[in-house]
Amino acid sequence: MRINQTSSKPQNGNPLGVVAIAVVAILLGFVTVREVAAAQDPDRLQSSLHSVSRRISTVSPRSGRAGTVVTLEATGMPAITPVRIGLGATEVGFEEIGQAMTTDKGELSLTVTVPSWTQPDLTHVFIVFDFYFIPIAVSDEFYVLAPDGTVVRKGRITNAVGDCTVPALLTDEGVLYTLVGDLSGFGAGDRVTVEGGIAESTLCPEGATMEVLRIRPAEPNP
């Protein structure tokens, strides 16, 4: 089911303008909408952010291409409550991809399919909404892969974040990835586009680790 509160799906298949999602807010603690109407206005949504304490505890697998079947599990949810499952992407919005009923113990378990509109250069998370589209739980990042198994991220190289001394990429959305691989010709402060795989474990607690396959200069921010 398409959530089309503000617009319909364009010809290229990407959902536009449904609910703009600030990824920094998502990864540091997702947002709550005080009014359902705020979901129709990205600026109002982002100005009414409040942390959602509930997390989707299990996302398996954590990465995959469009069409991948993913198992989602959560606990501590409202008991015996119908919910909607969405998949959201940076500055794009969300699409409803499933519905479920929580158990009398507040547990949620279901499988969903990654939609065809997802792209390897967007940051995606799964979201549990109530039937009024108010978010009540969010997952960690789900990595949508290109056919060759890579993701694409654009941002600025930094040499140290917190206690971590390895190079990192701070994306335009404020998401941090530590980098391993050949960064020859690039250093701290350079804007770059990085293509690579997501490592199974991370070098630093501040962010996931990308295994760099290709790196190139990126155009300046507009």
Side-chain angles (χ1 to χ4, degrees):
M1 177 180 175
R2 173 89 195 145
I3 309 301
N4 56 359
Q5 293 166 287
T6 58
S7 64
S8 59
K9 182 180 288 186
Q11 292 182 354
N12 64 8
N14 288 352
L16 294 176
V18 184
V19 174
I21 294 177
V23 171
V24 179
I26 288 172
L27 298 182
L28 297 180
F30 191 60
V31 303
T32 291
V33 185
R34 289 190 180 276
E35 304 175 54
V36 176
Q40 299 179 3
D41 185 333
D43 293 333
R44 290 186 62 197
L45 175 65
Q46 294 187 37
S47 68
S48 60
L49 305 183
H50 293 270
S51 294
V52 170
S53 59
R54 298 185 184 95
R55 308 294 292 184
I56 301 174
S57 54
T58 298
V59 177
S60 181
R62 285 288 310 278
S63 63
R65 299 166 179 80
T68 298
V69 175
V70 180
T71 298
L72 305 177
E73 296 179 355
T75 58
M77 306 287 287
I80 316 178
T81 300
V83 294
R84 306 176 189 268
I85 312 302
L87 183 63
T90 310
E91 298 178 352
V92 174
F94 71 88
E95 180 178 353
E96 181 182 329
I97 58 174
Q99 299 182 4
M101 179 76 74
T102 62
T103 70
D104 58 354
K105 296 181 179 179
E107 298 170 339
L108 175 67
S109 179
L110 78 160
T111 58
V112 294
T113 301
V114 177
S116 60
W117 63 261
T118 54
Q119 299 178 28
D121 61 346
L122 298 178
T123 306
H124 303 78
V125 293
F126 293 100
I127 314 161
V128 179
F129 295 91
D130 67 14
F131 260 50
Y132 297 99
F133 302 106
I134 296 176
I136 56 178
V138 64
S139 75
D140 291 332
E141 184 177 356
F142 178 81
Y143 305 101
V144 174
L145 306 179
D148 63 356
T150 63
V151 298
V152 180
R153 295 293 184 267
K154 183 185 298 183
R156 194 172 299 278
I157 294 178
T158 179
N159 271 346
V161 177
D163 295 330
C164 192
T165 58
V166 300
L169 179 75
L170 183 62
T171 71
D172 296 341
E173 296 81 22
V175 182
L176 188 74
Y177 300 89
T178 54
L179 302 174
V180 295
D182 186 4
L183 303 180
S184 299
F186 298 95
D190 291 340
R191 275 188 54 78
V192 296
T193 297
V194 178
E195 298 177 53
I198 298 296
E200 293 185 3
S201 59
T202 185
L203 296 174
C204 300
E206 288 85 357
T209 294
M210 286 188 67
E211 299 170 336
V212 179
L213 296 179
R214 292 173 288 275
I215 183 171
R216 62 182 183 274
E219 65 277 9
N221 278 327

